[in-house]
Amino acid sequence: MKRLLVIGIGAGDPDHLTLQAVKAIAATDVFFIVDKGETKHELVQLRLDLIAQHGREPYRIAEARDPERDRTAPAYTAAVEDWRSRRSLACEELIRDELGAGETGAFLVWGDPAVYDSTLAILDEIQRRGSVTFDVEVVPGISSVAALTARHRIGLTQVGRPTHLTTGRRLVERGPTADDVVVMLDAHSSFTGLDDFHIYWGAYLGTPDEILVSGPVSEVGERIRRLRAEARDRKGWIMDTYLLRRLSPEDR
């Protein structure tokens, strides 16, 4: 039986690797890398650096190109599902052709595999098709949420108050649904106008390009929008997340 490891590698700092992740990388025969193109090549390079440091020879690296997603489609969910299915076909080909029976393959996943990553859903889709069989093990990693709260030196939760994990799109549609809201995948600064919240924002967490800003939305919102736009223009991509925490009446 083929064996697949889905290894969380943290939010960007090579030291985010857990001992479990280091051991998993050392036990891997074939590393699968889905390349997002030249703009995001440094994301691939980080994976290659970790493999070179912790992999055990002889290992192999098998690459596929990530299919393009239609970001102009009005039906967001359908567009993501279409992209995910096409990506699953590319991954299925890698697993079928590059991984032998009894070997261990691995996907190195940014952050934690269970927090806003598609790899597990893609592998589920491949298994449902039934054309290739394999066992899956998941190695958890330090998520961007954990990195964000650590860098801001705050707790994610507060006593007796719920915390909601959502996207920028959902925040616009439904508004804040809790006193503490973690927002990911927000390309449009959806915190605009939420002046009764404090924001803890971070981009490129754990990397040399890391940017951190915190303060009342009414005071730092414009600065975050400017920094985000400048950083994206400079690098060609951005990964950021933030926590919104409702201000107490005396702090407003």
Side-chain angles (χ1 to χ4, degrees), residues 27 37 57 93 106 108 128 137 146 159 193 195 200 204 207 233 243:
E57 297 279 4
E93 184 177 342
L108 303 188
R128 286 196 300 270
E137 296 178 32
V159 176
D195 292 344
Y200 299 91
Y204 311 115
T207 76
D233 288 343
L243 168 67

Side-chain angles (χ1 to χ4, degrees), residues 137-159:
E137 296 178 32
V138 179
V139 177
I142 295 175
S143 70
S144 61
V145 179
L148 176 77
T149 53
R151 293 295 290 129
H152 281 289
R153 302 179 297 279
I154 58 171
L156 176 62
T157 60
Q158 300 188 84
V159 176

Side-chain angles (χ1 to χ4, degrees), residues 154-165 176-182 196-200 243-252:
I154 58 171
L156 176 62
T157 60
Q158 300 188 84
V159 176
R161 294 167 63 170
T163 300
H164 184 199
L165 181 63
T177 55
D179 290 332
D180 294 278
V181 183
V182 176
D196 53 342
F197 281 84
H198 192 107
I199 186 169
Y200 299 91
L243 168 67
L244 292 170
R245 176 155 287 166
R246 194 181 301 274
L247 293 167
S248 61
E250 57 269 22
D251 291 331
R252 296 179 191 174

Side-chain angles (χ1 to χ4, degrees), residues 9-222:
I9 61 172
D13 187 337
D15 288 344
H16 282 174
L17 275 191
T18 65
L19 292 177
Q20 185 182 14
V22 169
K23 292 176 182 178
I25 292 173
T28 297
D29 300 301
V30 184
F31 295 94
F32 300 118
I33 293 180
V34 181
D35 191 348
K36 294 180 178 291
E38 187 62 32
T39 300
K40 294 187 176 180
H41 179 70
E42 61 188 292
L43 301 182
V44 172
Q45 188 59 52
L46 173 64
R47 290 170 169 85
L48 295 176
D49 291 343
L50 294 176
I51 292 168
Q53 183 175 359
H54 302 291
R56 186 169 297 169
E57 297 279 4
Y59 58 76
R60 308 189 302 279
I61 295 175
E63 297 188 50
R65 186 62 182 266
D66 196 21
E68 294 291 333
R69 176 164 69 86
D70 184 1
R71 299 182 182 276
T72 64
Y76 171 78
T77 301
V80 170
E81 289 175 349
D82 172 71
W83 164 79
R84 184 177 288 176
S85 290
R86 289 184 287 117
R87 195 181 211 211
S88 76
L89 292 173
C91 292
E92 181 177 322
E93 184 177 342
L94 288 176
I95 297 167
R96 183 187 65 237
D97 297 344
E98 303 292 343
L99 188 64
E103 288 190 317
T104 296
F107 290 90
L108 303 188
V109 173
W110 203 263
D112 181 90
V115 182
Y116 277 102
D117 182 79
S118 63
T119 305
L120 294 178
I122 285 171
L123 294 180
D124 284 343
E125 184 172 330
I126 295 172
Q127 288 182 313
R128 286 196 300 270
R129 284 198 291 265
S131 60
V132 58
T133 58
F134 48 85
D135 288 329
V136 177
E137 296 178 32
V138 179
V139 177
I142 295 175
S143 70
S144 61
V145 179
L148 176 77
T149 53
R151 293 295 290 129
H152 281 289
R153 302 179 297 279
I154 58 171
L156 176 62
T157 60
Q158 300 188 84
V159 176
R161 294 167 63 170
T163 300
H164 184 199
L165 181 63
T166 190
T167 65
R169 184 182 298 270
R170 290 293 188 183
L171 183 64
V172 169
E173 292 174 353
R174 301 183 180 183
T177 55
D179 290 332
D180 294 278
V181 183
V182 176
V183 183
M184 308 180 77
L185 304 178
D186 183 7
H188 303 291
S189 299
S190 303
F191 54 79
T192 301
L194 299 178
D195 292 344
D196 53 342
F197 281 84
H198 192 107
I199 186 169
Y200 299 91
W201 176 81
Y204 311 115
L205 292 161
T207 76
D209 297 308
E210 180 180 87
I211 312 170
L212 299 171
V213 177
S214 68
V217 169
S218 60
E219 297 178 11
V220 302
E222 182 55 40

